[in-house]
Structures are given as C-alpha cells and as structure tokens.
Amino acid sequence: MNEQVKELTPQTLMSSSNRLIEIHITQARLRALRLVAFTGAVFPGEWSVQWNEAIVPDLLEFGFHARKVNEFCGLMDEEFGPIDVRIVKISEGDPGIWETNYRNALNALMHMQTFSIGHVHADHRRIFLAAESNLIATYIKVSTDRFPEVTISLFGLVDCFLNRVLQKVREKHPQLRF
C-alpha cells in the first residue's frame, strides 16, 4: 500500500487543538443546558430514582468537559464569582456548606467518592396533583478523597459555565467557533 502520511505542521496542530477545545465546549454546553432543564422542571416524588438516573450522566459529562475547557483555555485561576445560586428557596432542611467556587466544584465532581442529589419541594408549582410530592432537583452533595463534603447548586454550577465561563473563553480565544 502506498498511503501518504500527512506531516503535522504548526497550523495543523493548532487547528486540531482548537477543534478539541471546541468539542469540549460543545459537549459541556449541551450537558449544561440539559441540567438547566432538569433543575427547572417539577417532577412527582415517585419518579425520584428515575429522575436521578437521568441527571447523573449529564452531570458527570458536564464536569469532565467543563474542567477540560478550564484547563485548555487557561482558566484554572479565574474567579467567576459565586455559584451558590438557587432557583428555589429552601424553606427547611437546607443541607448547608454550599460551595461558592466554580473551580472547586468541578474538582469535587472529578474526585467524588460519594454523592447524593438533593430535591426540594415545589409547593409553589404543584403540577402533579395526585403525586406524593412535587420536587425539583436542586443540588448535589459530594464527598471526595481530598475535601470535606460540600453542597453544589446544580443550577449555579451550569449557570456559571453558560454565562461567565463561555464569555471568558470568547474574550481570551476569539478564534474558537462554538
């Protein structure tokens, strides 16, 4: 076989590097948008197990790709402001110890050993009238091998990525297409 092997030039390397970053951005954004939908939707308490099973893969994928965006785009030391934003008020049973730092939250997701997804009652939006309860997925409690257990606002985490991280990427890397 007489196949030609293309030589890697700085331009090819640059474009393949950019493409890799764009793939991570696209995948993180897709998962972030799905998580926004999950955290804004009311579901009947009887669906909790299935609801969690739908959220977890998106959360893990988001964490992986978002962290790669931070690494590849040189954002590891950026301060993006607090992520402890909640779209629902927790009137009782607040889990406490809310993580406020985006980078720390991503690190917790990457190093997590145990986790649980927290739901709050959506009494203000009762949709499933015959259900035992109307819930909204609001947070994840994460423990790692390195850090004490923290509570991460699901909405706050993805809101930061969609509105602050992507803006910073556009400023620092205008050549990227996403």
Side-chain angles (χ1 to χ4, degrees), residues 49 52 126 146 151 164 178:
V49 172
N52 289 349
R126 286 195 58 82
R146 297 181 180 179
T151 304
R164 292 177 258 159
F178 60 93

Side-chain angles (χ1 to χ4, degrees), residues 135-167:
L135 303 174
I136 297 178
T138 306
Y139 61 87
I140 181 171
K141 287 188 78 70
V142 177
S143 65
T144 73
D145 55 344
R146 297 181 180 179
F147 308 105
E149 185 176 72
V150 296
T151 304
I152 300 170
S153 165
L154 292 171
F155 177 78
L157 180 67
V158 296
D159 173 65
C160 180
F161 178 79
L162 292 168
N163 292 312
R164 292 177 258 159
V165 173
L166 290 181
Q167 179 182 346

Side-chain angles (χ1 to χ4, degrees), residues 7-143:
E7 184 179 328
L8 290 177
T9 65
Q11 285 126 345
T12 341
L13 285 173
M14 184 61 161
S15 67
S16 66
S17 169
N18 282 353
R19 185 63 192 129
L20 182 60
I21 296 168
E22 291 166 354
I23 289 168
H24 283 299
I25 291 169
T26 301
Q27 291 302 310
R29 183 176 51 206
L30 172 66
R31 291 340 185 270
L33 291 170
R34 288 175 52 91
L35 288 166
V36 166
F38 278 121
T39 61
V42 174
F43 65 94
E46 294 86 349
W47 296 359
S48 294
V49 172
Q50 295 84 358
W51 202 258
N52 289 349
E53 287 175 3
I55 291 173
V56 170
D58 285 329
L59 181 61
L60 296 176
E61 288 285 327
F62 168 77
F64 170 74
H65 291 293
R67 182 140 183 237
K68 287 299 183 185
V69 169
N70 273 12
E71 290 173 13
F72 290 152
C73 293
L75 304 176
M76 293 302 281
D77 294 327
E78 290 287 332
E79 291 297 328
F80 293 106
I83 63 162
D84 57 346
V85 177
R86 291 164 244 168
I87 56 174
V88 218
K89 183 178 179 187
I90 300 174
S91 55
E92 52 184 72
D94 188 314
I97 313 172
W98 289 85
E99 179 59 63
T100 59
N101 183 281
Y102 176 74
R103 183 183 64 238
N104 291 349
L106 290 180
N107 286 339
L109 289 177
M110 292 297 99
H111 295 282
M112 77 177 154
Q113 291 185 323
T114 64
F115 73 93
S116 62
I117 295 179
H119 309 122
V120 298
H121 288 275
D123 295 333
H124 67 290
R125 275 179 60 199
R126 286 195 58 82
I127 295 172
F128 299 95
L129 301 178
E132 68 180 33
S133 57
N134 283 240
L135 303 174
I136 297 178
T138 306
Y139 61 87
I140 181 171
K141 287 188 78 70
V142 177
S143 65

